[in-house]
């Protein structure tokens, strides 16, 4: 393991590369990364990267976002087949249909979308700022795609507007059911329940806090409590435990694992640096339009 770590570090210097990793990545991939964060943190980080090469350890839409924000840099994915099923649920045709039916409503797209969807949207959001982004719009009706659960949660926080939702969802978070929370809570009655807004409304209703992955990390660091039930992809528990050695974390469900996030391995990181592959590029006309939606979101910042 230390051998491969050493080789990656050496190549990283030679290539003037930076490694960005999402909070759901494998533990060893998080350890080799220069920056580990949530979708919003990774987008902000990509926007200010100084290196020539960005090695993106996450899923495809995240690397695409980095490529859109840094057109002059080479963005590579160690495992380019790592996609997000939710991002692939909405197509340009389906979005065009929603726009046709609601011609006056602006489109807010979750960052978990393809570059083509972002290019057809007015503003992007992540789970760390969806409420803030929707509130920032002057319109009373807003199209929100593709996550119906994040959309439902956002609607509950912004009752003064009507959100027109699409039927997308994250299969990993949809795997967490209220029974799981109740069961773990019975075993650990003193634990606070933190869940991600991609969870079902029946699950967010049981939570003490509904937070993005970055929001969970911040909340736990500042909390006096010692035990937490974590309702999101289980990969984040590694970072939580590392940052808070005195606290205890219990996954709401062991089944909440995103197979796509786990496709990137240390070996693939090494090979990607050796071959500078696989490059993720977005055509200029799409990137120019999508960048406006992402930059508009970055100006708004986080809510948590
Ligand atoms: P955040 O890291 O922004 O909370 O998003 C979770 C997620 O599912 C990303 O794919
Ligand atoms: Fe997509 Fe869900 Fe995996 Fe995130 S956890 S990448 S939303 S499938």
């Amino acid at each position: 393991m230390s051998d491969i770590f050493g080789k990656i570090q050496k190549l990283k210097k030679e290539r003037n590369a930076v490694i960005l990793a999402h909070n759901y990545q494998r533990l060893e991939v998080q350890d080799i990364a220069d920056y580990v964060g949530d979708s919003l943190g990774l987008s902000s980080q990509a926007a200010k990267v100084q290196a020539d090469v960005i090695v993106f350890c996450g899923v495809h839409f995240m690397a695409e976002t980095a490529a859109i924000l840094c057109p002059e840099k080479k963005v590579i994915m160690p495992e380019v087949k790592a996609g997000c099923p939710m991002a692939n649920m909405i197509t340009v045709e389906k979005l065009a249909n929603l726009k046709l039916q609601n011609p006056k409503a602006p489109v807010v797209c979750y960052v978990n979308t393809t570059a083509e969807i972002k290019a057809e949207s007015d503003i992007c959001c992540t789970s760390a700022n969806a409420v803030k982004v929707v509130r920032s719009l002057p319109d009373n009706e807003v199209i929100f795609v593709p996550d119906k659960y994040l959309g439902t949660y956002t609607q509950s926080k912004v009752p003064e507007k009507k959100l027109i939702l699409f039927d997308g969802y994250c299969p990993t978070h949809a795997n967490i059911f209220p029974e799981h929370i109740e069961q773990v809570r019975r075993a650990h009655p003193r634990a606070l329940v933190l869940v991600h807004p991609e969870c079902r409304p029946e699950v967010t209703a049981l939570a003490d806090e509904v937070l993005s992955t970055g929001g969970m990390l911040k909340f736990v660091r500042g909390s006096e409590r010692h035990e937490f039930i974590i309702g999101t992809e289980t990969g984040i528990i590694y970072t939580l435990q590392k940052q808070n050695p005195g606290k205890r974390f219990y996954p709401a469900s062991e089944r909440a694992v995103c197979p796509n996030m786990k496709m990137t391995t240390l070996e693939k990181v090494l090979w990607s640096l050796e071959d500078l592959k696989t490059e993720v590029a977005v055509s200029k006309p799409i990137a120019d339009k999508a960048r406006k939606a992402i930059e508009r979101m970055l100006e708004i910042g986080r809510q948590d």
Side-chain angles (χ1 to χ4, degrees), residues 32-68:
I32 197 75
D34 297 289
Y35 178 86
V36 182
D38 66 6
S39 307
L40 185 57
L42 289 166
S43 300
S44 319
Q45 201 62 29
K48 54 185 185 221
V49 151
Q50 295 293 336
D52 298 320
V53 177
I54 300 176
V55 182
F56 212 109
C57 304
V59 289
H60 197 265
F61 75 80
M62 296 179 173
E64 251 188 5
T65 305
I68 292 164

Side-chain angles (χ1 to χ4, degrees), residues 133-152:
V133 164
V134 170
R135 273 202 194 121
S136 76
L137 299 169
D139 317 75
N140 293 329
E141 293 200 355
V142 174
I143 298 172
F144 188 98
V145 297
D147 187 355
K148 62 178 171 185
Y149 294 142
L150 176 64
T152 303

Side-chain angles (χ1 to χ4, degrees), residues 22 24 38-39 61-62 110 112 127 196 198 212-213 261:
H22 188 265
Y24 298 158
D38 66 6
S39 307
F61 75 80
M62 296 179 173
Y110 192 20
N112 298 39
S127 57
H196 196 277
E198 282 178 19
S212 69
T213 59
M261 283 285 185

